[in-house]
Amino acid sequence: MAEGERTRTREREPGEERTYDKMLAFYRERVERNADGPVVIHKGDREVELSRQGRIRYYLNHTIHKDTPLQQWLVFSHELRTTSGKHKHQGGLVIYVIEGKGYSMVDGERWEWEAGDLMLLPLRPEGVEHQHFNTDTERPSTWIAFINTPISEHLAHEMTQMQDSPEFR
């Protein structure tokens, strides 16, 4: 009878988690979050922040809302009382006007909009300069923006703030 060789393997000592294992955990968490994360994001669960662009409410933002599915989307509403800040970035935004009326200056060209309109900010690697204006003195305009972040990453997205909203202090 031939004698067999027996090999014994030892389990790795518990210690620091390896990068590959961290990646596996990240992928597992993402799959679970996308499958079981919140289906409805309630307006009241998100704060309005007065920023250089104006009054913004972030619904999906992977830098502050780690528990939501669709981490590759940035979705925010903008309550525009007078004038937004002016900035420049690669564009690629989809903006739906919920209420009010006004116009946007996009690379020096004026574009009128009102409730129910859809604005498509051009996608340009060299950037798109834009600013938004509310023309209704009685009430603010509100719109919601959708940005697919993998597109921004692909273009090496950058943003330059050129002028702050008059409300920002």
Side-chain angles (χ1 to χ4, degrees):
M1 177 163 145
E3 203 168 307
E5 200 173 294
R6 190 170 181 181
T7 305
R8 189 169 184 188
T9 58
R10 189 170 49 145
E11 285 191 28
R12 184 176 302 277
E13 298 276 336
E16 190 175 323
E17 190 177 23
R18 306 252 189 256
T19 301
Y20 183 78
D21 295 324
K22 289 178 184 177
M23 286 180 6
L24 289 176
F26 169 79
Y27 295 142
R28 260 192 320 275
E29 289 166 8
R30 183 176 57 189
V31 166
E32 290 170 9
R33 184 178 56 244
N34 283 336
D36 301 326
V39 173
V40 175
I41 307 295
H42 296 281
K43 178 180 177 179
D45 292 339
R46 299 294 195 242
E47 299 281 328
V48 172
E49 177 181 302
L50 183 55
S51 73
R52 295 180 183 281
Q53 281 303 104
R55 295 177 182 279
I56 308 290
R57 181 187 312 268
Y58 292 100
Y59 287 89
L60 294 179
N61 183 326
H62 65 279
T63 62
I64 57 176
H65 304 299
K66 307 285 188 190
D67 64 332
T68 59
L70 305 176
Q71 291 280 303
Q72 67 277 17
W73 284 94
L74 178 62
V75 178
F76 62 91
S77 64
H78 189 156
E79 180 187 295
L80 184 59
R81 294 183 178 184
T82 57
T83 305
S84 75
K86 182 195 303 186
H87 63 194
K88 182 176 184 175
H89 57 77
Q90 283 74 17
L93 274 75
V94 174
I95 299 173
Y96 177 74
V97 182
I98 298 169
E99 60 186 357
K101 61 183 177 176
Y103 65 95
S104 296
M105 294 299 294
V106 179
D107 286 335
E109 190 171 351
R110 183 178 171 135
W111 295 91
E112 304 279 336
W113 45 259
E114 63 182 27
D117 289 346
L118 187 70
M119 196 177 353
L120 305 173
L121 200 58
L123 186 61
R124 297 185 182 134
E126 69 278 6
V128 178
E129 182 180 298
H130 54 285
Q131 187 172 22
H132 312 285
F133 300 85
N134 178 34
T135 56
D136 188 340
T137 58
E138 300 296 315
R139 63 186 180 133
S141 295
T142 305
W143 47 259
I144 192 160
F146 302 85
I147 305 169
N148 185 261
T149 55
I151 291 173
S152 296
E153 289 176 16
H154 177 72
L155 291 171
H157 180 81
E158 64 178 276
M159 188 177 310
T160 303
Q161 189 72 28
M162 304 172 89
Q163 180 183 332
D164 290 343
S165 168
E167 291 184 75
F168 184 74
R169 293 174 186 42

